[in-house]
Amino acid sequence: MTRNMPSINMENIHHSMKSSFLSCFNFFLISLLLTHPSTSANPVIETEQARFIGTVLDLPVDEQGLARSVHAYLGIPYAEPPVGDLRFRQPVAKIWSNAAGEPINATSLGNRCPQVYNPYFPVLGNYDEDCLNLDVYVPVPVPDKAAVMFWIHGGAFVVGTGSMEILPLSPLAVFGDVIVVAANYRLGALGFLSTGDDEVPGNLGLYDQRQALKWVQDNIQAFGGDPSRVTIFGTSAGGASVSCHVLSPLSSGLFSRAIMQSGVASSPFFTGTDRSHIAKRASNLGKLVGCVNDTSKRLVECLRNVHVEDLVNASAMIHETWVLSNGPSINIPWSPVNDGHFLSKDPTTMLKEGLVNNKVDLMAGQHSHEAMLPIMAFLKDPSEPYINATIFETILTISKTNQAIAQPIIRQAMNLVYIDDITKEQNYLNTFIQIHGDHVYVCPTDAFLRASENADSNMYLYHLTHHPSASIFNTPWSGACHADELVFIFGAHFHPESPFNLTEEEAKMSMQMMKFWSNFAKTGNPNKESEAEEEISSDLRWPKFTSSNPSYKNMSLLMNNGRALKAKECRFWNNYLPTFKSFFDDSAIHGPNKMNGKDEL
C-alpha cells in the first residue's frame, strides 16, 4: 500500500533556515500548475516493450513568441519494484506482460522513492518502494534524431526526485529542442547501504541510474531520440553520480557526454573507503530497527523484512546524527562506495591512475558561494550574517575540512592563502565560504578535468557568480548558492505562474544557459547547435578548458570569460596539501626525522 512517509525532527540542523524554506514552500503549491495538461488529444508512443499514453503540457511561448508544447510520458517503470527479496539487490529490468495489449497510462508522475520530508527540497506526491520510474519530455515538433539530456537529481543521496514540481523540465525541452529524461533512484540506506562485503557491496542507487540509462538506449528512438547522443547531467549528489558513471566501466557506452554541476566523484562526498566503517554503519542501522545479527547475510535477511517506513526513519536518523556531529560538511553517510565493481577503487585513486572514460565530452562547474547552504544553520541572525573568529574556529574544528588541515603547519599555510590579517576581528563568513567551497567543489572539479584530459574529447568549465533575484533559498545575501543554477538551466522563469520571476536581464541569462547546455548535448560544444555551423565568434564564445589553458565561462549577466580559476587555492588543496599529508603519514611510520628510510637534511 502506498503511504506518505513521516518526517523526523530536523530542527537541530535547520533551525535558522526553516522559516525561509517554509515560505518558499507556499510557492510549491502554486507551481503544481506549471505543467498542467492541455485539452489536446493524448499522444501515444509504441516501443518494443509496450505502448504508452502520454499527456500534452502547454508552454506559453518560446523565444520567438510562438506557443509551444511538450509531449510528456510520465511514471514509466524501468525496473521491477525493488521490494521483498529484491530489496538491497541490483535493479531488474521491467518485463511487460501486455506488450501487445492495451496502452499503458503514462499521464501522471509515478511514486517518489521513500525519504523523509525535508523543508530544503519538499517532494510532493506518494512515496513507495515501487519508485523506479522515469519521465520523458519530448518537444513538439521533435527534431530529427533529437539529442537526449538525462537528468540525475541531487539531494545528498537521501532526498529528491527526478521530476520536481517547482522546477519543471519542460522549458528546457522546448527552448533547447532536446528530449529530457528524468529518473528516480533509490535513496538513503535503500539505495546506498553497504555491508562492506559481497552480501551488499553498495551503490544500488548508481545501478538504478545505470538501468534507466539502459532503458533510454533501448527505447528512446521510439520517442524521436538519438541513443548515440545521450548527455547525463546532474547537480550536487547528481553531479557526483554523473562523474561516477564517467569513471565506471559498467556505464561505458550508455552516454556520450556528461555535465557535472556542483559535485564530482573526487569531492569529499565519500565515506566508503574504510570497509570496517561501512560494515559498522550497516550494523548500526540494523540495531535501530531490531536486526541484531552476527553475519552480513543474516543482517540483510532481517532488513528485508523491516517495514519501509521504519527503515527510512532509521536511515534518516543515522544521517541526521552524522550531520550534527560533523558540522557543515558535504561528507555524508549514505553515498557511493568503492565496491570493487561499479567503482573499482576510490575515485581519487581512479583519477590518479587514469581510469577515466576518455571518449566522453565533459562540462563541469560550480558557484561562488556553494558553502552558504551548510553554513546557514550557524548564523544566529540570518538577516545579518556574521561569523566571528570564535565561531569560525568552532566550525572548522567540527567540520570535515578540519581533518584535511589538522597539522599546524598546514593550517598556517591555509591561513596564508585565505586570511589577510589573522590579528584583526573581522567577519569570517566569506572566508569559510571560500575555504569550504574550494575544498569541496572548485578544486576537486579542477583536478577531475585535468585528470580526464584527452585529445579526443572536449572539456568546458563554468563558475556561476550571479545570485538570482528569485533564489531557491529565498535569501537576499546568500550569493550564488548551491543549486542556484537550476533556476536558470531549467528556464523556470518562462512560466507565468512560476515563483521564480527573474529580471529581464536574468531571463536572457537563463535563455543563454539553456542554449549552452543543450548545444553541448547536441554537439559536445556549447558554442554551436549543429556540427555544420560555425562556433560563436562574439564575446559569448565559451573557450575549452585544457591543462595548459584552463579557461572558464563566468555564468553572470556579462557572460565574460576567465582563466586559471582559483589557481593559488587549488595548488594548495590539490598539490601542497597531499604532499604534506604524505610527509606526515610517512613520518608516523619512519619517525619525525626520517623520510622514506633516509635521514632528513
Side-chain angles (χ1 to χ4, degrees):
M1 181 174 65
T2 299
R3 302 170 66 177
N4 284 326
M5 304 299 298
S7 62
I8 63 175
N9 186 353
M10 304 289 282
E11 288 292 323
N12 289 330
I13 305 174
H14 309 312
H15 66 277
S16 66
M17 286 290 295
K18 191 171 183 181
S19 61
S20 173
F21 281 99
L22 291 179
S23 64
C24 186
F25 177 65
N26 292 332
F27 290 125
F28 277 75
L29 301 179
I30 301 173
S31 67
L32 288 172
L33 303 174
L34 296 185
T35 52
H36 57 282
S38 76
T39 56
S40 304
N42 291 81
V44 177
I45 285 289
E46 184 169 353
T47 71
E48 291 185 2
Q49 297 178 325
R51 287 186 295 160
F52 298 98
I53 299 176
T55 188
V56 181
L57 306 178
D58 287 331
L59 287 174
V61 292
D62 65 7
E63 58 184 325
Q64 283 82 36
L66 303 174
R68 291 289 299 272
S69 61
V70 167
H71 286 176
Y73 303 86
L74 308 174
I76 299 175
Y78 65 83
E80 296 293 340
V83 299
D85 189 56
L86 293 184
R87 183 188 280 180
F88 300 124
R89 297 192 190 277
Q90 291 182 21
V92 176
K94 176 70 177 179
I95 303 299
W96 296 97
S97 59
N98 64 334
E102 290 297 315
I104 296 165
N105 191 324
T107 59
S108 58
L109 295 173
N111 293 326
R112 287 32 168 91
C113 288
Q115 59 195 276
V116 297
Y117 175 82
N118 189 313
Y120 284 83
F121 297 100
V123 173
L124 306 178
N126 292 322
Y127 297 78
D128 194 271
E129 275 192 275
D130 182 8
C131 64
L132 299 186
N133 57 72
L134 53 78
D135 311 311
V136 183
Y137 299 88
V138 182
V140 180
V142 59
D144 183 44
K145 295 182 178 179
V148 181
M149 299 189 71
F150 183 94
W151 170 245
I152 302 177
H153 72 80
F157 300 108
V158 294
V159 297
T161 188
S163 292
M164 199 168 186
E165 288 84 353
I166 194 172
L167 290 168
L169 299 169
S170 48
L172 177 60
V174 163
F175 293 121
D177 262 336
V178 292
I179 293 175
V180 180
V181 180
N184 293 338
Y185 57 94
R186 282 172 284 181
L187 302 167
L190 289 167
F192 293 94
L193 173 80
S194 173
T195 54
D197 54 26
D198 289 338
E199 188 62 37
V200 182
N203 297 332
L204 294 173
L206 297 181
Y207 279 102
D208 292 344
Q209 297 165 12
R210 177 176 175 268
Q211 186 61 45
L213 282 167
K214 291 174 69 176
W215 184 95
V216 169
Q217 287 296 314
D218 293 340
N219 295 281
I220 205 63
Q221 280 184 291
F223 296 84
D226 183 352
S228 70
R229 289 198 299 167
V230 175
T231 297
I232 56 175
F233 71 126
T235 196
S236 192
S241 297
V242 166
S243 61
C244 285
H245 291 289
V246 172
L247 290 173
S248 178
L250 299 184
S251 296
S252 180
L254 297 178
F255 58 94
S256 56
R257 297 175 184 116
I259 305 175
M260 299 166 287
Q261 302 163 202
S262 299
V264 295
S266 52
S267 301
F269 276 94
F270 294 84
T271 59
T273 57
D274 188 321
R275 292 190 179 276
S276 64
H277 288 171
I278 294 170
K280 184 177 181 181
R281 190 175 303 137
S283 176
N284 289 340
L285 178 72
K287 291 176 182 177
L288 288 173
V289 294
C291 290
V292 182
N293 294 276
D294 56 352
T295 67
S296 295
K297 183 177 180 62
R298 291 194 182 99
L299 170 64
V300 175
E301 287 176 349
C302 180
L303 290 175
R304 288 197 174 106
N305 292 301
V306 174
H307 194 283
V308 63
E309 290 185 2
D310 297 330
L311 195 60
V312 170
N313 277 322
S315 170
M317 189 177 299
I318 288 176
H319 178 85
E320 180 183 15
T321 302
W322 182 275
V323 172
L324 287 171
S325 62
N326 288 282
S329 168
I330 203 64
N331 196 301
I332 46 184
W334 305 116
S335 59
V337 299
N338 54 313
D339 59 351
H341 303 283
F342 198 95
L343 295 173
S344 59
K345 302 178 181 180
D346 73 271
T348 301
T349 301
M350 293 180 73
L351 287 171
K352 288 180 179 178
E353 296 180 0
L355 302 177
V356 182
N357 184 352
N358 286 321
K359 296 181 180 180
V360 175
D361 295 320
L362 298 177
M363 180 194 294
Q366 64 287 304
H367 309 160
S368 61
H369 289 69
E370 290 278 5
M372 190 64 78
L373 175 60
I375 204 67
M376 285 178 177
F378 285 82
L379 302 176
K380 293 183 178 179
D381 183 1
S383 64
E384 295 182 9
Y386 184 87
I387 293 180
N388 61 28
T390 302
I391 298 175
F392 175 68
E393 291 296 332
T394 300
I395 295 172
L396 280 183
T397 299
I398 65 174
S399 166
K400 282 294 174 183
T401 304
N402 187 60
Q403 291 185 5
I405 57 172
Q407 293 292 338
I409 191 171
I410 297 178
R411 179 61 186 277
Q412 291 172 20
M414 190 194 74
N415 289 343
L416 288 173
V417 174
Y418 286 99
I419 302 176
D420 295 329
D421 185 356
I422 60 175
T423 65
K424 180 182 178 182
E425 178 61 29
Q426 56 187 291
N427 187 352
Y428 284 87
L429 176 65
N430 191 62
T431 302
F432 180 81
I433 294 302
Q434 298 309 313
I435 290 173
H436 187 88
D438 294 347
H439 176 47
V440 176
Y441 300 101
V442 177
C443 299
T445 298
D446 178 85
F448 194 100
L449 291 180
R450 290 175 186 272
S452 306
E453 188 170 11
N454 186 280
D456 296 329
S457 63
N458 300 321
M459 296 193 299
Y460 296 89
L461 175 67
Y462 72 87
H463 193 60
L464 180 73
T465 57
H466 179 76
H467 175 219
S469 57
S471 170
I472 289 176
F473 300 108
N474 201 30
T475 52
W477 44 263
S478 60
C481 189
H482 195 62
D484 270 346
E485 89 282 12
L486 300 182
V487 174
F488 295 110
I489 67 168
F490 289 148
H493 167 82
F494 298 98
H495 279 285
E497 297 145 337
S498 171
F500 302 112
N501 293 316
L502 303 177
T503 66
E504 183 176 347
E505 286 186 311
E506 288 175 323
K508 292 178 181 178
M509 178 180 164
S510 173
M511 191 69 72
Q512 184 59 56
M513 288 182 67
M514 283 191 286
K515 196 168 189 63
F516 278 146
W517 261 243
S518 58
N519 281 355
F520 179 80
K522 294 169 185 174
T523 66
N525 185 338
N527 301 300
K528 60 180 187 177
E529 190 171 3
S530 69
E531 297 293 348
E533 73 179 36
E534 296 292 327
E535 279 196 5
I536 299 171
S537 58
S538 68
D539 293 339
L540 280 175
R541 181 182 176 276
W542 186 347
K544 288 183 182 180
F545 176 97
T546 65
S547 294
S548 59
N549 187 22
S551 300
Y552 69 94
K553 172 66 71 176
N554 178 13
M555 293 297 166
S556 64
L557 298 179
L558 295 177
M559 286 291 178
N560 55 306
N561 296 324
R563 187 180 182 281
L565 176 67
K566 294 294 189 79
K568 176 179 65 175
E569 292 84 348
C570 289
R571 280 198 298 271
F572 170 79
W573 292 108
N574 295 340
N575 303 111
Y576 180 91
L577 185 59
T579 300
F580 264 75
K581 288 177 69 177
S582 176
F583 168 77
F584 284 114
D585 290 343
D586 187 85
S587 295
I589 298 172
H590 300 290
N593 297 317
K594 301 275 186 182
M595 190 169 185
N596 297 324
K598 298 180 180 180
D599 291 337
E600 283 287 291
L601 296 177

